[in-house]
């Protein structure tokens, strides 16, 4: 009897896997780098989807990749998704393709590191196998080596356009989760767009609003390039609407919330017009009250706010004022001045400092304490 049950389980497992395979269509191609360059220039290959704002490899890493091509060393494949018109979206392999484009001086401005000028060709450096390559550009290599590079092939794994949308989503998620190239928000921007783009575009649009940008002025350039501004928009809505589901891992919590709002197959309510109005009012208030210091921490020796940004203040203040958002009149100067004083006092309060700077700050318990601390203090003035 046990053997029959085990056999039935195996059959069910095989059928479950086979049913998924029927929804997957892939193709393997060997394409030369010169063909990829032509596809890029003719907009047949999009190497700059929403998840990636910047080409990140160092010049040494780019150079060693070119050295690998010249030495005909094995290189990993790249992965693309085929769109309806037959064009490709790159989902893994940006650094390799961009290294070749930089060597040829063909990187478009929006794909460049700010240190690279448009049309600038890579000067090889830190090549450690053929050191004579160092200091050379593509033009210095001579015809034979130039042709070798142009004809160098890379395996391209294509997820065909007939494939199930969820499969496309999961393959990108598996390829990039845990990698060092993309931030969690950049991964969300691309993967979740494959489920539905409305919420993704909504987040990006709100991240570009002037009042919001003014309040997060002090995030670092690295954070900005890693789409942290967009993650903050997502974090606001997730904590406002879904906080009871937060257990411990912030990244998983944010991804789950964004998936639920974005996936048209999931019945999950999100009133875009209402939520937009709440977001805009929230950051209009903070921009008027404290501006770029809205989420700044305190210099305890000087007992004053510093030009800085801390996400724990962002969470506590933006969510802590929500119970009173309708009571706050942004045109009432007296109320705004009272609110400013309360928020400054909160930041200087020893208890608030303790729950925003100690250990375990990502725990649901401390998050709850921070938000309730702000709620209690704001209640007194609105």
């Amino acid at each position: 009897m046990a053997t029959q049950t085990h056999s039935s389980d195996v059959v069910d497992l095989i059928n479950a896997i086979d049913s998924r395979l029927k929804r997957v269509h892939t193709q393997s191609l060997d394409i030369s780098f010169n063909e990829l360059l032509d596809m890029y220039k003719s907009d047949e290959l999009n190497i700059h989807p929403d998840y990636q704002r910047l080409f990140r490899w160092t010049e040494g890493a780019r150079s060693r990749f070119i050295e690998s091509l010249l030495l005909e060393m094995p290189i990993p494949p790249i992965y693309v998704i085929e769109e309806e018109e037959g064009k490709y979206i790159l989902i893994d392999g940006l650094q390799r393709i961009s290294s070749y484009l930089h060597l040829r001086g063909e990187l478009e401005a929006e794909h460049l590191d700010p240190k690279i000028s448009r049309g600038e060709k890579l000067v090889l450096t830190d090549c450690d196998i053929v050191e004579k390559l160092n200091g050379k550009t593509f033009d210095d290599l001579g015809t034979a080596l130039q042709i070798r590079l142009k004809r160098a092939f890379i395996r391209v794994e294509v997820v065909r356009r007939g494939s199930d949308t969820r499969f496309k989503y999961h393959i990108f998620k598996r390829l990039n989760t845990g990698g060092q190239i993309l931030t969690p928000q950049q991964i969300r921007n691309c993967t979740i767009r494959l489920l539905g783009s409305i919420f993704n575009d909504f987040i990006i649009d709100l991240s570009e609003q002037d009042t919001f940008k003014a309040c997060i002025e002090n995030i670092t350039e690295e954070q900005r390039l890693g789409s942290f501004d967009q993650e903050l928009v997502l974090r606001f809505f997730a904590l406002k609407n879904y906080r009871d589901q937060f257990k411990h891992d912030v990244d998983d919590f944010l991804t789950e919330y964004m998936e639920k709002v974005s996936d048209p197959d999931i019945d999950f309510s999100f009133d875009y017009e209402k939520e937009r109005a709440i977001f805009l009012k929230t950051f209009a208030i903070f921009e008027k009250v404290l501006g770029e210091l809205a989420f700044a921490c305190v210099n305890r020796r000087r007992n004053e706010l510093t030009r800085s940004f801390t996400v724990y203040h962002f969470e506590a203040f933006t969510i802590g004022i929500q119970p009173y958002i309708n009571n706050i009149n942004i045109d009432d100067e007296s109320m705004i001045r009272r609110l400013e004083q309360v928020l400054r006092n909160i930041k200087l309060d020893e208890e608030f400092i303790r729950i925003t700077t100690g250990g375990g700050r990502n725990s649901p318990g401390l998050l709850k304490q921070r938000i309730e601390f702000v709620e209690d203090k704001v209640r007194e003035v609105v």
Side-chain angles (χ1 to χ4, degrees), residues 228 230-240 250-251 253-254 311-312 314-315 319 362:
F228 185 62
Q230 295 167 20
E231 179 177 300
L232 291 172
V233 177
L234 172 61
R235 190 178 291 242
F236 171 77
F237 289 115
L239 291 175
K240 187 176 82 68
V250 175
D251 287 338
F253 167 69
L254 295 178
V311 71
Y312 304 112
F314 176 89
E315 295 169 342
I319 307 304
N362 278 336

Side-chain angles (χ1 to χ4, degrees), residues 243 245-253 360-365:
R243 178 158 53 102
Q245 297 300 311
F246 173 53
K247 305 305 179 187
H248 181 68
D249 190 287
V250 175
D251 287 338
D252 288 347
F253 167 69
R361 287 169 291 174
N362 278 336
S363 68

Side-chain angles (χ1 to χ4, degrees), residues 185-199:
Q185 187 59 35
Q186 288 172 325
I187 293 174
R188 292 184 200 105
N189 283 349
C190 186
T191 60
I192 296 177
R193 180 174 291 279
L194 298 173
L195 298 177
S197 63
I198 297 175
F199 190 46

